[in-house]
Amino acid sequence: MLTLQTIKNDPEFVIRRLAVKGFDGRGIITEILEIDAERRRLQQKCDSDASELKKLASSIGALMKEGKKDEAEQAKAEVARIKGATKGLQERLAECEKEMDNLLLTVPNLPCAEVPEGLTAEDNVVVKTGGEMPELAEDALPHWELAKKYGIIDFEIGVKVTGAGFPFYVGKGARLQRALIQFFLDEAWKAGYVEVEPPFVVNQASGYGTGQLPDKEGQMYHVTVDDLYLIPTAEVPVTNIYRDVIIPEAELPKKNCAYSPCWRREAGSYGAEVRGLNRLHQFDKVEIVRIEKPENSYAALEEMKDHVQGLLEKLGLPWHILRLCGGDMSFTSAITYDFEVWSAAQKRWLEVSSVSNFESYQANRLKCRYRDANKKNQLCHTLNGSALALPRIVAALLENNQTPDGIVVPECLRKYTGFDIID
């Protein structure tokens, strides 16, 4: 969440930047400042009362020694009165602090200066493009028909066993899936990311730490009996490793990668754009997460973008990178780049990765800090990215690599699959 000091330093700047995300922040920022003013008044009064109580306690002993019992009793009565009043002040102070925290949790992160204005995906900006567009025959099939033709993904059994959006991967389809996961993990390892295998469910505190709660409750699967959440991305458990942690400066940056299944409700979408693998409720993904010193986080963001670009180039997929406009960014992000690959049979771009810098927003929620050379605790910057999400990668690989003889497996995956073609 935003620090209170950020808001107090320049409220009008905060309101203007929030407007880039389509968030009208004037009312809530005003309320936060009013509560802060009340909180400071209450704290000053509590501090003043504590000082007065200390003086009175000291005087009572002196008055008793001097035999001034009446004055001592009056002092005792004043102590009781002040303590009673202070209790009420402290209760209200605690309420103010809780109200302040609740309000701050509902304020999005500020988009950085490079974020373009706009409210929808049409306002995103293409910043880089690469790869060669495949030329397919007129009778080229979309991936859901290819999956059925070659018996590698069974959507119908998934519907029977669980429901729509939960496919079964079969035979060479399952091996391709596992090959991609291992390829992505191996590439992350080569790039210096330490692999972790996290839990696939998290508690409420973890959801709040990375900003999925209270923003995305409707998209998460909630195990109500245990009050746990199925993770929508490995970002949540991996970043929460550093919740309430003070990291020695010499240990930064922290670089982790993790494979996980991910669960998202993704409700309210219908039609061809969500057919097959285009939108699932459960899917596999490899995530990269970085904890950085603030002055290094944007260089780290560029490294992460280069890493994802390298994966797409090795897979031989046409790609482009979008800088998201304010209205299309997540609640917690300061800047986000989306990677999309070209789906030749569907003739459209499919999002396969988001790479984001959250600056200190998540770190403030997580209380993720580092101790600098002056022994002072400073907030870290957090970043993460999909490297990569599998479903649309698989869709594009199947469609773009189809031939009359079968589907050609990219060279970089063959040592993992054990076969060159799906036939």
Side-chain angles (χ1 to χ4, degrees):
M1 59 188 173
L2 297 180
T3 64
L4 178 59
Q5 196 59 48
T6 297
I7 295 171
K8 291 170 67 174
N9 283 346
D10 194 341
E12 288 302 319
F13 172 79
V14 170
I15 291 167
R16 288 195 303 273
R17 295 312 297 166
L18 289 173
V20 174
K21 278 193 170 181
F23 184 86
D24 183 359
R26 186 165 297 279
I28 194 168
I29 296 303
T30 299
E31 189 175 356
I32 286 170
L33 293 174
E34 289 173 349
I35 291 174
D36 178 60
E38 181 183 1
R39 182 189 61 80
R40 285 185 286 112
R41 287 195 300 270
L42 290 168
Q43 188 63 62
Q44 288 171 359
K45 179 60 175 167
C46 286
D47 292 344
S48 174
D49 286 350
S51 178
E52 184 63 22
L53 285 171
K54 187 175 180 180
K55 290 178 183 177
L56 285 169
S58 177
S59 70
I60 289 170
L63 290 169
M64 291 296 287
K65 285 181 180 180
E66 295 171 9
K68 299 177 180 179
K69 292 184 179 180
D70 290 343
E71 292 180 39
E73 290 301 321
Q74 289 175 0
K76 288 179 181 179
E78 182 64 7
V79 166
R81 185 194 68 76
I82 293 174
K83 282 184 175 180
T86 300
K87 182 180 179 182
L89 291 173
Q90 290 172 336
E91 289 174 353
R92 177 55 191 155
L93 181 60
E95 289 174 1
C96 283
E97 290 172 346
K98 185 175 182 180
E99 289 172 14
M100 176 76 71
D101 286 343
N102 288 339
L103 286 171
L104 287 170
L105 284 171
T106 65
V107 180
N109 197 5
L110 303 184
C112 76
E114 288 76 17
V115 172
E117 294 188 7
L119 297 177
T120 67
E122 285 69 35
D123 300 310
N124 297 335
V125 178
V126 177
V127 296
K128 197 172 184 180
T129 301
E132 294 184 10
M133 292 289 192
E135 295 182 7
L136 298 185
E138 287 297 321
D139 60 350
L141 300 176
H143 69 271
W144 53 85
E145 292 186 24
L146 290 167
K148 186 171 184 177
K149 177 180 178 180
Y150 294 105
I152 53 176
I153 306 172
D154 197 316
F155 295 101
E156 288 76 16
I157 291 179
V159 171
K160 181 179 79 170
V161 172
T162 306
F166 296 90
F168 272 71
Y169 298 87
V170 180
K172 289 186 175 180
R175 290 186 68 86
L176 177 63
Q177 190 84 349
R178 183 154 46 87
L180 281 163
I181 293 167
Q182 192 61 57
F183 170 63
F184 294 151
L185 286 173
D186 285 353
E187 291 297 303
W189 184 268
K190 292 175 189 175
Y193 290 89
V194 176
E195 183 179 349
V196 296
E197 184 173 331
F200 300 151
V201 294
V202 293
N203 57 30
Q204 192 176 85
S206 293
Y208 274 93
T210 46
Q212 275 66 33
L213 300 174
D215 182 49
K216 295 183 174 66
E217 286 152 310
Q219 295 181 29
M220 297 175 73
Y221 285 91
H222 188 194
V223 184
T224 54
V225 173
D226 302 298
D227 197 21
L228 296 173
Y229 293 84
L230 302 183
I231 61 170
T233 166
E235 166 203 346
V236 183
V238 175
T239 311
N240 270 278
I241 292 171
Y242 305 101
R243 173 157 49 92
D244 298 319
V245 172
I246 299 173
I247 304 168
E249 186 175 11
E251 293 184 13
L252 290 175
K254 295 287 189 181
K255 298 172 63 175
N256 291 114
C257 67
Y259 154 72
S260 77
C262 306
W263 291 268
R264 300 180 189 179
R265 283 206 164 92
E266 300 282 17
S269 298
Y270 305 93
E273 291 196 354
V274 299
R275 285 195 68 177
L277 299 173
N278 289 341
R279 183 162 297 176
L280 301 177
H281 295 305
Q282 179 182 322
F283 60 94
D284 292 315
K285 182 155 68 81
V286 171
E287 191 81 357
I288 52 176
V289 172
R290 294 178 70 145
I291 312 295
E292 294 278 351
K293 291 173 63 177
E295 61 265 33
N296 298 336
S297 70
Y298 277 88
L301 181 66
E302 292 304 309
E303 287 182 20
M304 294 170 75
K305 286 164 57 185
D306 289 345
H307 179 74
V308 175
Q309 178 182 320
L311 296 176
L312 296 177
E313 289 174 342
K314 288 177 180 178
L315 289 170
L317 293 171
W319 54 269
H320 66 202
I321 307 174
L322 301 169
R323 184 186 294 131
L324 298 194
C325 70
D328 202 32
M329 287 168 58
S330 75
F331 185 87
T332 52
S333 176
I335 188 168
T336 295
Y337 290 92
D338 273 5
F339 285 74
E340 295 183 335
V341 296
W342 180 247
S343 169
Q346 298 179 71
K347 295 182 171 56
R348 67 189 190 94
W349 293 97
L350 304 176
E351 180 197 334
V352 295
S353 175
S354 285
V355 180
S356 300
N357 188 346
F358 304 97
E359 296 186 353
S360 63
Y361 189 88
Q362 281 185 334
N364 191 33
R365 297 169 76 111
L366 294 158
K367 298 297 180 282
C368 172
R369 295 158 289 175
Y370 73 97
R371 183 166 290 127
D372 67 17
N374 298 317
K375 307 300 181 184
K376 291 185 177 180
N377 295 334
Q378 309 286 353
L379 287 174
C380 298
H381 278 195
T382 65
L383 306 92
N384 71 51
S386 311
L388 287 157
L390 270 69
R392 294 168 190 161
I393 289 287
V394 171
L397 288 176
L398 297 180
E399 293 178 9
N400 295 5
N401 295 327
Q402 60 184 295
T403 72
D405 298 320
I407 300 164
V408 178
V409 175
E411 179 68 34
C412 63
L413 298 180
R414 293 175 186 175
K415 68 177 181 179
Y416 302 108
T417 61
F419 52 84
D420 300 343
I421 194 165
I422 296 173
D423 54 16

